[in-house]
Amino acid sequence: GRTGTPEVVYAAGKTPTQTVACLAALLDGGARPAWATRVDDATASAILERWPDAVVDQEARCAFVGGLPAPVGNVLVLTAGTSDGPVAAEVAATLAASGVGCTRVDDVGVAGVHRVLAVAPDLAAADAVVVVAGMDGALPSVVAGLTDRLVVAVPTSVGYGAAFEGLAALLTMLTACAPGVLVVNIDNGFGAGVAAARIVRSAQR
Amino acid sequence: GRTGTPEVVYAAGKTPTQTVACLAALLDGGARPAWATRVDDATASAILERWPDAVVDQEARCAFVGGLPAPVGNVLVLTAGTSDGPVAAEVAATLAASGVGCTRVDDVGVAGVHRVLAVAPDLAAADAVVVVAGMDGALPSVVAGLTDRLVVAVPTSVGYGAAFEGLAALLTMLTACAPGVLVVNIDNGFGAGVAAARIVRSAQR
Amino acid sequence: GRTGTPEVVYAAGKTPTQTVACLAALLDGGARPAWATRVDDATASAILERWPDAVVDQEARCAFVGGLPAPVGNVLVLTAGTSDGPVAAEVAATLAASGVGCTRVDDVGVAGVHRVLAVAPDLAAADAVVVVAGMDGALPSVVAGLTDRLVVAVPTSVGYGAAFEGLAALLTMLTACAPGVLVVNIDNGFGAGVAAARIVRSAQR
Amino acid sequence: GRTGTPEVVYAAGKTPTQTVACLAALLDGGARPAWATRVDDATASAILERWPDAVVDQEARCAFVGGLPAPVGNVLVLTAGTSDGPVAAEVAATLAASGVGCTRVDDVGVAGVHRVLAVAPDLAAADAVVVVAGMDGALPSVVAGLTDRLVVAVPTSVGYGAAFEGLAALLTMLTACAPGVLVVNIDNGFGAGVAAARIVRSAQR
Amino acid sequence: GRTGTPEVVYAAGKTPTQTVACLAALLDGGARPAWATRVDDATASAILERWPDAVVDQEARCAFVGGLPAPVGNVLVLTAGTSDGPVAAEVAATLAASGVGCTRVDDVGVAGVHRVLAVAPDLAAADAVVVVAGMDGALPSVVAGLTDRLVVAVPTSVGYGAAFEGLAALLTMLTACAPGVLVVNIDNGFGAGVAAARIVRSAQR
Amino acid sequence: GRTGTPEVVYAAGKTPTQTVACLAALLDGGARPAWATRVDDATASAILERWPDAVVDQEARCAFVGGLPAPVGNVLVLTAGTSDGPVAAEVAATLAASGVGCTRVDDVGVAGVHRVLAVAPDLAAADAVVVVAGMDGALPSVVAGLTDRLVVAVPTSVGYGAAFEGLAALLTMLTACAPGVLVVNIDNGFGAGVAAARIVRSAQR
Amino acid sequence: GRTGTPEVVYAAGKTPTQTVACLAALLDGGARPAWATRVDDATASAILERWPDAVVDQEARCAFVGGLPAPVGNVLVLTAGTSDGPVAAEVAATLAASGVGCTRVDDVGVAGVHRVLAVAPDLAAADAVVVVAGMDGALPSVVAGLTDRLVVAVPTSVGYGAAFEGLAALLTMLTACAPGVLVVNIDNGFGAGVAAARIVRSAQR
Amino acid sequence: GRTGTPEVVYAAGKTPTQTVACLAALLDGGARPAWATRVDDATASAILERWPDAVVDQEARCAFVGGLPAPVGNVLVLTAGTSDGPVAAEVAATLAASGVGCTRVDDVGVAGVHRVLAVAPDLAAADAVVVVAGMDGALPSVVAGLTDRLVVAVPTSVGYGAAFEGLAALLTMLTACAPGVLVVNIDNGFGAGVAAARIVRSAQR
Ligand SMILES: Nc1ncnc2c1ncn2[C@@H]1O[C@H](COP(=O)(O)O)[C@@H](O)[C@H]1O
Ligand SMILES: Nc1ncnc2c1ncn2[C@@H]1O[C@H](COP(=O)(O)O)[C@@H](O)[C@H]1O
Ligand SMILES: Nc1ncnc2c1ncn2[C@@H]1O[C@H](COP(=O)(O)O)[C@@H](O)[C@H]1O
Ligand SMILES: Nc1ncnc2c1ncn2[C@@H]1O[C@H](COP(=O)(O)O)[C@@H](O)[C@H]1O
Ligand SMILES: [Mg+2]
Ligand SMILES: [Mg+2]
Ligand SMILES: [Mg+2]
Ligand SMILES: [Mg+2]
Ligand SMILES: [Mg+2]
Ligand SMILES: [Mg+2]
Ligand SMILES: [Mg+2]
Ligand SMILES: [Mg+2]
């Protein structure tokens, strides 16, 4: 697209038929890949029926038609807990669609800070860092203190009670004491992936 | 008092004359010390005029009349940043009034996680831990992962914007991923001190 | 675990297969018991199929594999109303997994204050108190005025309208006028149980 | 007035001159007394200058011109803490202006539940009860469990942090587990007084 | 009960078997009627199977066993719209269980103020008024300006968007400009009925 | 301006010097009048010093330089209470600057619904209606039921406690049951005036 | 109706039988059309069974009985995204029932500002503009800067996370920097349609 | 510092003496510049007295000691309105301290979208974009649609009423429909500047 972001279909609230039609239009317009996020099972089936060689990423709920570009650069994607996986997978899928490489390390929540410290080599090797966390959302605060890379923080709606469906994690990330933390919407793996890809591309320019 | 907590005057919203009268009544009732929190300058002066040997803790905004008990046990009091100092001082003053010992380490915010790790020996030596933090309030999450002591977490109103006068830190602490974190009201150093003193006394029983 | 808390699987958002695998890993690591919270019917069945001698606590939605330790000490667990039962059961299950004894008294809401007063002997016999309450969440305020034990307060999401899914009870507990009240997340029986077990163990040291 | 409530001037946001003019107009219309709430010092002076025999209630911030009616009936007004005094005084002033009798008992917060129980004879002697409380706002829950009188609950903005300027107490009162609790706006002693006076008058009809 | 309120079972969150058991216990204790609120279809069937002469009020979701007392006095129950009907029915059922008479007038929302004015004779004939309204919750403000009876205001969760499940109506009622308005929890027809019954009984004493 | 709204300087947060400079620039650009809202005393003095024939509206906190256009049409501006006056005055000032006529009727809160009904002739004579109300914000709901004119509703920050600085009135107006109510920001008399002027002009086209 | 708005049945929370009865009553009263909003599939079927020539608008979830009036004037209805379609369709249906013409342009979100600029001719041709937008709700701010028509802004509940079910869009629209923006409740296409119809009719008078 | 961000003193809540001491310590540690944000007048004077060649940026409330590095790269800093100036100045000051170049264009709010379009050449020339906006906070949504640069969005507390001290702008930015928008805390010009500097440096690597 004009803004350098891969064209994508947001399938939430669309019928399988509508999503297939949108993907077909993107393909007609030359998009490689044409892809969709927030794809449910029925939509995934419809896509695979139309394009048998489509790739469906079940964890990320994304589908790609037309092949993925070769990746350049490297974004480190961290999650605080197992339940943050689908959002991290959406980040990774967005990076893949953008032709950017990705290393993912899961379950490094701050309650086990030695596991966080163990990612130091990955931080040094990364062009940018995406941190995905729900509940207290404290992981970006710690990670940003360990690196001079930009940290894109994604609060998730994982948790209960005072987590208030991601609000607690969102406020934590916005008030993170370490500078260099930038925040996207709750569960917005797509937005974080687009941003990280831009950082990598700007580093490659 | 019947519940084992040192009698105290909450001077906020009382005139100096009222606070002095309350302290005199506590002394009459045998309280040693009689003491007050949230003491402003005018009240401190009124107390010192009446009891020249009173002790005024300016950082904590507390005043003690009638001598402090010899301390037993040891509570570790940590702050994330310099601005959290007055609340930590209120914790320490409450411990002093309760006859409980206290070690205070300031400015160990999670953005510098190696400073947090450096308090490991203090954690091992403590009967209980109080963690005071504003902004993102992430410090108790990390500390609780490093110790099997109870962690009493005090959110502070330090910060601006999405800190929402302590709400962000409060929600972070309530949703802390490490178990063993217990939370008191925003800026409630007194409540945290009372709780920590009870833990120490129960360990001494 | 390193922090002295029994290893546990949080089964919410995991498939039965995943939870069974996590439990098996804990058992391999030597955990006795290996256990899980937030266990639904399908997960309970899967656990019992794998380990026929597992114990499933239906009210608490917890399952234990490998036998429970002999209990030491005594925690008093109070509920304000019948609907708070499952959260209190999660507290009790956590204490059981931690090898700590527990006395549970239900339905002592403050609207019948004479029933609250009747627990005075139980308070005197307890090492710590956990109070579970929804709606107005007023019970910890009254209980803390009757004892010098620590009171761990658990707000529940029981109620409707201005209860705002536990927010009303949470705010009540955070602002409880009696000192010695410490608060955990809404419906967080696990966290309260871990904290109470630490108090008991610290009293036993 | 047509609705049976004594005519009153709400002086907040009015100049002393405006309030004096409003009172003069009420007197012209036959009001006995003509009175005003939320009266600051300058307004009180202006009223006393114009009507030297006016009565100013400093705690309640109310002023009465033209004499108070003889009281009938009896409303019990309870406060949880000393700082709730001005709101309770506004209740009492409204009752006085309405010709209704009033018994006030202060500082019976639920943290000292035996003090609450000691008001049982006052409850039995009252036509209605008004309970004024800030912070956790738990007192009406307990009182309503002790009486079959109506309990008018007034949350106050007393407190800090998670008291959120009266919101915590308001939610507590709205979700009070004992039935028979009715709630007015935060700090609205006037509204509670009007309501209690109506209950008494309806009992006298 | 000791507080003069008819014993009731709150069936929400109870199984049909539990509710039937609770009702049986109340009957054993001499309650006439024994009754329950928030009764779903399965529970209603279980009650009718056990006590074929029980009375089930479908709109109110209430069931009565053991006959209703003869009504005294008269409470006017108004609704702003058709959808507020179930809450008003719960008010009426509570009055019936309490032996208090009731006149119900529906659908007199303030958007048709002439319909509101038409209830003036009903207001004059009532001992107390209950006003049930969702969305903007404006009806109590208007009604309280037309009567010197107490107005018990019940916000409902009817509406969408900025109605925020009853919050908008709740705030409106708490800030109603006419004095004499007292508020209960969102959708709390039971609490409003208990309060109105107490007003009537106090008028009958 | 291009969008047909009179050019205006929003003086809040500007120094007197800056506001005078902005007005001078507007005059240079041909604006008649050049005017400013949110003008404090110091700014008003600076304007009058520079343009001795400027008109300052103290209640509205607006100042006009260069003469007002002859008014066409008629907007009815209603307030619920005296304290809403400054916001209504800002509406009227904006209409004056826009060359639109205005009738203002104050203090017709819904607690005195007969006063509201008395404005029926004014409603019939108006091209549009602006309703300004704080606290419960109920007036637009009633007015919109009496007219087929558009009702522009302005919530004000007048009130205390659960008025939450205008939030209660805002939610009431957004959920007003009578259709034809359109809402602007809290205290935004300027925006309401601009909108009402456009309605009149569109009626005059 | 008396206020010039077409009589309508709000079918949400009504059974199909109830809605059919309400429509029949409106027809009896002479309404042409009689119509209903928030019509689900079962209700639509019941309407078509009773009146086979009824018109059901599936996107808008509206049904019309008795023919639509010939349209006069023209309202431009814009949506930011595809998912806002049902709300825009409710606007259009309300205009149709009111006998007002409508041009609809979809999917002109501000992220593609050149598409917004392309509607300039439509803006010039319109009597009023309705802008429907969820997520950031930014479209009315831009549109109001391009026209001197009134802009009726409808926030929608489209979005996730910090969209908070329409709250984000609502606040954006209330604080829109361009004057001339008037706001209705979240998802309230009906209210926006009524308002726009009144603007057109006032322009036609 | 270790994380590549220039060492800074956050002077809010520090005395002038404390801030001067912190700056001296940074200078001792080799920082060039040593600098401080949130500097009030008294602190600025104390800094200038100690270091007469210090540079004080009054709009940004920042002070620099020890000379600024030569700038590399170029960040475009946009504001929506004049009142957003101080926050934009803090962004610019942070860039200056970081040795990064900056172009600032003020007052390009979306209500004048043609002014936004006019910055297209600046967007093309920038390494990164920072957008500062209060009230509706809509500007980043439009800007991100015009560029493939990363957009760092800074909500400000400018505005009143439903702006809720920056909350409205914050939510708008988090839900911006154009991807590539990353958000920092309300009024956090420092954080945005640090992030933008990292983007530039990563592009320079
Ligand atoms: N302290 C108070 N709190 C709330 N409302 C009050 C208070 N005092 C008076 N009022 C109300 O304010 C109205 C008078 O307002 P005003 O016409 O502005 O003087 C009275 O009718 C009362 O309903
Ligand atoms: N009282 C007011 N309330 C809200 N917005 C206003 C007010 N007065 C002026 N404005 C807006 O502020 C803009 C001028 O802002 P500025 O360029 O900072 O002077 C105008 O275009 C108006 O849209
Ligand atoms: N979709 C809608 N959203 C909001 N209000 C509506 C809607 N449709 C109808 N209404 C309002 O609901 C009223 C009818 O409600 P009812 O009497 O319950 O059918 C009408 O007078 C309209 O003001
Ligand atoms: N204007 C600002 N807004 C937010 N954070 C800041 C600001 N200026 C400095 N900081 C942060 O505050 C920290 C220094 O705090 P302190 O140790 O209290 O001086 C720095 O590490 C920065 O991360
Ligand atoms: Mg983990
Ligand atoms: Mg620091
Ligand atoms: Mg009970
Ligand atoms: Mg007390
Ligand atoms: Mg109706
Ligand atoms: Mg008035
Ligand atoms: Mg689109
Ligand atoms: Mg501007």
Side-chain angles (χ1 to χ4, degrees):
Chain A
R2 183 172 36 82
T3 61
T5 297
E7 302 276 3
V8 65
V9 180
Y10 177 65
K14 296 207 172 71
T15 62
T17 313
Q18 286 176 311
T19 297
V20 164
C22 291
L23 286 171
L26 289 185
L27 285 169
D28 281 359
R32 292 297 174 279
W35 66 297
T37 63
R38 310 284 162 110
V39 167
D40 60 20
D41 287 352
T43 300
S45 299
I47 291 170
L48 286 167
E49 190 168 327
R50 171 75 177 266
W51 297 283
D53 58 348
V55 175
V56 173
D57 178 334
Q58 289 217 330
E59 188 190 18
R61 291 173 301 158
C62 293
F64 309 87
V65 187
L68 290 168
V72 298
N74 183 35
V75 173
L76 178 63
V77 179
L78 302 175
T79 65
T82 314
S83 318
D84 303 315
V87 176
E90 194 179 79
V91 177
T94 304
L95 291 168
S98 306
V100 170
C102 165
T103 301
R104 186 169 152 194
V105 182
D106 281 335
D107 213 17
V108 289
V110 298
V113 78
H114 294 285
R115 294 215 53 204
V116 185
L117 294 174
V119 301
D122 302 295
L123 285 168
D127 293 306
V129 185
V130 176
V131 180
V132 182
M135 293 298 283
D136 62 11
L139 186 54
S141 297
V142 174
V143 170
L146 297 171
T147 180
D148 65 350
R149 292 334 187 237
L150 266 187
V151 174
V152 179
V154 192
T156 72
S157 54
V158 167
Y160 62 90
F164 292 128
E165 317 210 332
L167 179 64
L170 172 63
L171 297 184
T172 305
M173 291 170 180
L174 286 166
T175 56
C177 291
V181 177
L182 296 171
V183 187
V184 297
N185 193 9
I186 298 163
D187 290 335
N188 189 6
F190 170 72
V194 168
R198 289 192 188 181
I199 298 170
V200 171
R201 277 201 305 267
S202 103
Q204 308 278 342
R205 259 199 307 249
Chain B
R2 183 169 39 80
T3 60
T5 296
E7 302 276 2
V8 66
V9 181
Y10 177 65
K14 296 206 173 72
T15 62
T17 311
Q18 286 178 311
T19 297
V20 164
C22 291
L23 285 172
L26 288 185
L27 285 171
D28 281 359
R32 292 295 173 281
W35 66 297
T37 63
R38 310 284 161 112
V39 168
D40 59 20
D41 288 350
T43 300
S45 299
I47 291 171
L48 286 169
E49 190 169 328
R50 171 76 176 263
W51 298 283
D53 58 346
V55 175
V56 173
D57 179 334
Q58 290 217 328
E59 189 189 16
R61 289 174 301 157
C62 292
F64 309 87
V65 186
L68 290 168
V72 299
N74 183 35
V75 174
L76 178 63
V77 180
L78 303 174
T79 65
T82 314
S83 318
D84 302 316
V87 176
E90 195 179 77
V91 177
T94 304
L95 290 168
S98 307
V100 170
C102 165
T103 301
R104 187 168 152 197
V105 182
D106 281 336
D107 212 19
V108 289
V110 299
V113 78
H114 293 285
R115 293 215 52 204
V116 184
L117 293 173
V119 301
D122 302 295
L123 285 167
D127 294 305
V129 186
V130 177
V131 180
V132 183
M135 291 301 281
D136 62 11
L139 185 56
S141 298
V142 174
V143 170
L146 297 172
T147 179
D148 64 352
R149 295 327 189 241
L150 269 187
V151 174
V152 179
V154 192
T156 72
S157 54
V158 167
Y160 62 88
F164 290 129
E165 316 211 332
L167 179 64
L170 172 62
L171 298 184
T172 306
M173 291 171 180
L174 287 166
T175 56
C177 292
V181 177
L182 296 169
V183 186
V184 296
N185 193 9
I186 298 162
D187 290 335
N188 188 7
F190 169 73
V194 168
R198 289 194 187 180
I199 297 170
V200 171
R201 277 200 305 268
S202 105
Q204 308 277 340
R205 259 198 306 249
Chain C
R2 184 170 37 82
T3 61
T5 296
E7 302 276 3
V8 65
V9 181
Y10 177 65
K14 296 205 172 74
T15 63
T17 312
Q18 286 176 310
T19 297
V20 163
C22 291
L23 286 171
L26 289 185
L27 285 170
D28 281 0
R32 291 295 173 280
W35 66 297
T37 63
R38 310 285 163 110
V39 167
D40 60 19
D41 288 351
T43 300
S45 300
I47 291 170
L48 287 168
E49 191 168 326
R50 172 75 177 266
W51 299 283
D53 60 347
V55 175
V56 173
D57 179 333
Q58 290 216 328
E59 189 190 16
R61 290 173 301 157
C62 292
F64 309 87
V65 186
L68 290 168
V72 298
N74 183 34
V75 173
L76 178 64
V77 179
L78 303 174
T79 66
T82 314
S83 318
D84 303 314
V87 177
E90 194 178 78
V91 177
T94 305
L95 291 167
S98 307
V100 171
C102 164
T103 301
R104 184 167 153 196
V105 182
D106 281 337
D107 212 18
V108 290
V110 299
V113 79
H114 293 286
R115 293 213 55 204
V116 184
L117 294 173
V119 301
D122 301 297
L123 286 167
D127 293 307
V129 186
V130 176
V131 181
V132 182
M135 291 298 282
D136 61 12
L139 186 55
S141 297
V142 173
V143 170
L146 298 170
T147 180
D148 63 352
R149 296 323 189 244
L150 267 187
V151 174
V152 178
V154 192
T156 71
S157 54
V158 167
Y160 62 91
F164 291 128
E165 316 211 330
L167 179 64
L170 173 62
L171 297 184
T172 305
M173 292 171 180
L174 286 167
T175 57
C177 292
V181 178
L182 297 171
V183 186
V184 298
N185 193 9
I186 297 163
D187 291 334
N188 188 7
F190 169 72
V194 168
R198 289 193 188 181
I199 297 170
V200 171
R201 277 200 306 266
S202 104
Q204 309 278 341
R205 261 199 303 248
Chain D
R2 183 170 38 79
T3 61
T5 296
E7 302 276 2
V8 65
V9 180
Y10 178 64
K14 295 204 173 74
T15 63
T17 312
Q18 286 176 310
T19 296
V20 164
C22 291
L23 285 172
L26 289 185
L27 285 171
D28 281 359
R32 293 295 175 280
W35 67 297
T37 63
R38 310 286 162 110
V39 168
D40 59 20
D41 288 351
T43 300
S45 300
I47 291 171
L48 285 168
E49 190 169 326
R50 170 75 177 263
W51 297 284
D53 58 347
V55 176
V56 173
D57 179 333
Q58 290 216 329
E59 189 190 16
R61 290 174 300 159
C62 292
F64 309 88
V65 186
L68 290 169
V72 298
N74 183 34
V75 173
L76 179 63
V77 180
L78 302 175
T79 64
T82 314
S83 317
D84 303 316
V87 177
E90 195 179 78
V91 178
T94 305
L95 290 167
S98 306
V100 170
C102 165
T103 301
R104 187 167 151 195
V105 182
D106 281 337
D107 212 17
V108 289
V110 299
V113 78
H114 293 286
R115 293 215 54 204
V116 184
L117 294 173
V119 302
D122 301 296
L123 286 167
D127 293 307
V129 186
V130 177
V131 180
V132 182
M135 293 298 283
D136 62 11
L139 186 55
S141 298
V142 173
V143 169
L146 297 171
T147 181
D148 65 350
R149 291 338 185 232
L150 267 188
V151 174
V152 179
V154 192
T156 71
S157 53
V158 167
Y160 62 89
F164 291 129
E165 318 213 327
L167 179 65
L170 173 62
L171 297 184
T172 305
M173 292 171 180
L174 287 166
T175 57
C177 291
V181 178
L182 296 170
V183 186
V184 297
N185 193 9
I186 297 163
D187 291 334
N188 189 5
F190 170 74
V194 167
R198 289 193 187 181
I199 297 170
V200 172
R201 278 201 305 268
S202 103
Q204 308 278 342
R205 258 196 311 246
Chain E
R2 183 169 40 80
T3 60
T5 297
E7 302 275 4
V8 66
V9 181
Y10 177 65
K14 297 206 173 70
T15 63
T17 311
Q18 287 176 311
T19 297
V20 164
C22 291
L23 285 171
L26 289 185
L27 285 171
D28 281 359
R32 292 294 175 281
W35 67 297
T37 62
R38 310 283 163 111
V39 167
D40 60 20
D41 288 351
T43 300
S45 299
I47 291 170
L48 285 168
E49 191 169 325
R50 171 75 177 263
W51 298 283
D53 58 348
V55 175
V56 173
D57 180 334
Q58 291 217 328
E59 189 190 16
R61 290 173 302 157
C62 292
F64 309 88
V65 186
L68 290 169
V72 298
N74 184 34
V75 173
L76 179 63
V77 180
L78 302 175
T79 65
T82 313
S83 318
D84 303 315
V87 177
E90 194 180 77
V91 177
T94 305
L95 290 168
S98 307
V100 170
C102 164
T103 302
R104 186 167 151 196
V105 183
D106 281 337
D107 212 18
V108 289
V110 298
V113 78
H114 293 286
R115 293 215 53 204
V116 184
L117 294 173
V119 301
D122 301 296
L123 286 168
D127 294 306
V129 186
V130 177
V131 180
V132 182
M135 294 296 284
D136 62 11
L139 187 54
S141 298
V142 173
V143 169
L146 297 171
T147 180
D148 65 351
R149 288 345 184 227
L150 269 187
V151 174
V152 179
V154 192
T156 72
S157 54
V158 167
Y160 62 89
F164 290 128
E165 315 211 332
L167 179 65
L170 173 62
L171 297 185
T172 306
M173 292 171 180
L174 287 167
T175 56
C177 291
V181 177
L182 296 170
V183 186
V184 297
N185 193 8
I186 297 163
D187 290 334
N188 188 6
F190 170 72
V194 168
R198 289 193 187 181
I199 297 171
V200 170
R201 278 201 306 267
S202 104
Q204 307 279 340
R205 259 197 309 246
Chain F
R2 184 169 38 79
T3 61
T5 296
E7 302 275 3
V8 64
V9 180
Y10 178 62
K14 296 205 172 74
T15 62
T17 311
Q18 285 176 312
T19 297
V20 163
C22 290
L23 286 172
L26 289 185
L27 284 171
D28 282 0
R32 292 296 174 279
W35 66 297
T37 64
R38 310 286 161 110
V39 168
D40 60 19
D41 288 352
T43 301
S45 299
I47 291 171
L48 285 169
E49 191 168 325
R50 170 76 177 263
W51 297 283
D53 60 346
V55 175
V56 173
D57 179 333
Q58 290 216 328
E59 189 189 18
R61 291 174 298 160
C62 291
F64 309 87
V65 186
L68 291 167
V72 298
N74 183 35
V75 173
L76 179 63
V77 179
L78 302 175
T79 65
T82 315
S83 319
D84 303 316
V87 177
E90 195 179 78
V91 177
T94 305
L95 290 168
S98 307
V100 170
C102 165
T103 301
R104 186 168 152 196
V105 182
D106 281 337
D107 212 19
V108 289
V110 299
V113 79
H114 294 285
R115 293 214 54 203
V116 184
L117 294 173
V119 302
D122 301 296
L123 286 167
D127 293 307
V129 186
V130 177
V131 180
V132 182
M135 292 298 282
D136 63 11
L139 186 54
S141 297
V142 174
V143 168
L146 298 171
T147 180
D148 65 350
R149 292 332 186 237
L150 268 187
V151 174
V152 179
V154 192
T156 71
S157 54
V158 167
Y160 62 89
F164 291 128
E165 317 213 328
L167 179 65
L170 173 63
L171 297 185
T172 306
M173 292 170 180
L174 287 167
T175 57
C177 291
V181 177
L182 296 171
V183 186
V184 297
N185 193 9
I186 297 163
D187 291 334
N188 189 5
F190 170 73
V194 168
R198 288 193 188 181
I199 297 170
V200 171
R201 278 200 305 266
S202 104
Q204 308 278 343
R205 260 198 307 247
Chain G
R2 182 170 38 81
T3 59
T5 296
E7 303 275 1
V8 65
V9 180
Y10 178 64
K14 295 202 173 73
T15 62
T17 312
Q18 286 177 311
T19 297
V20 164
C22 290
L23 286 171
L26 289 184
L27 285 170
D28 281 359
R32 293 296 174 279
W35 65 299
T37 64
R38 309 285 163 111
V39 168
D40 60 19
D41 288 351
T43 300
S45 299
I47 291 170
L48 285 169
E49 191 169 325
R50 170 77 177 264
W51 297 284
D53 59 346
V55 175
V56 173
D57 178 334
Q58 290 217 327
E59 189 190 15
R61 291 173 300 156
C62 292
F64 309 88
V65 186
L68 289 168
V72 298
N74 183 35
V75 173
L76 178 63
V77 179
L78 302 175
T79 65
T82 314
S83 317
D84 303 316
V87 177
E90 194 180 77
V91 177
T94 304
L95 290 168
S98 306
V100 170
C102 164
T103 302
R104 187 169 151 193
V105 182
D106 281 337
D107 212 18
V108 289
V110 300
V113 79
H114 293 286
R115 293 215 52 204
V116 184
L117 294 174
V119 301
D122 301 295
L123 286 168
D127 293 306
V129 186
V130 177
V131 180
V132 182
M135 292 299 283
D136 62 10
L139 186 55
S141 297
V142 174
V143 169
L146 297 171
T147 179
D148 65 352
R149 293 331 186 239
L150 268 188
V151 174
V152 179
V154 192
T156 71
S157 54
V158 167
Y160 63 89
F164 291 128
E165 314 211 333
L167 180 64
L170 173 62
L171 297 184
T172 306
M173 291 171 181
L174 286 166
T175 56
C177 290
V181 177
L182 296 170
V183 186
V184 296
N185 193 9
I186 298 162
D187 290 335
N188 190 4
F190 169 74
V194 168
R198 288 193 188 180
I199 298 170
V200 170
R201 277 201 305 267
S202 105
Q204 307 278 341
R205 257 197 312 246
Chain H
R2 183 170 38 81
T3 60
T5 297
E7 302 277 1
V8 64
V9 181
Y10 177 63
K14 295 204 173 75
T15 61
T17 311
Q18 286 177 313
T19 297
V20 163
C22 291
L23 286 171
L26 290 184
L27 285 170
D28 281 359
R32 293 295 174 280
W35 65 298
T37 64
R38 309 285 162 113
V39 168
D40 59 20
D41 287 351
T43 300
S45 299
I47 292 170
L48 286 168
E49 192 169 325
R50 171 76 176 263
W51 298 283
D53 59 346
V55 175
V56 173
D57 178 334
Q58 290 217 326
E59 189 190 16
R61 291 174 298 159
C62 292
F64 309 88
V65 186
L68 291 169
V72 299
N74 184 34
V75 173
L76 178 63
V77 180
L78 302 175
T79 66
T82 314
S83 318
D84 303 316
V87 177
E90 195 178 78
V91 177
T94 305
L95 291 167
S98 306
V100 170
C102 165
T103 302
R104 188 168 151 195
V105 182
D106 282 336
D107 211 19
V108 289
V110 299
V113 77
H114 292 286
R115 293 215 52 205
V116 184
L117 294 173
V119 302
D122 301 295
L123 287 167
D127 293 305
V129 185
V130 177
V131 180
V132 182
M135 292 298 283
D136 63 10
L139 185 55
S141 298
V142 174
V143 170
L146 298 171
T147 180
D148 65 351
R149 291 336 185 234
L150 268 188
V151 173
V152 179
V154 191
T156 71
S157 54
V158 168
Y160 61 89
F164 291 129
E165 316 212 332
L167 179 64
L170 172 63
L171 297 185
T172 306
M173 291 170 181
L174 286 166
T175 57
C177 291
V181 177
L182 296 171
V183 186
V184 296
N185 193 10
I186 298 163
D187 291 336
N188 189 6
F190 169 74
V194 168
R198 289 193 188 180
I199 298 171
V200 170
R201 278 201 305 267
S202 104
Q204 307 279 341
R205 260 198 307 248

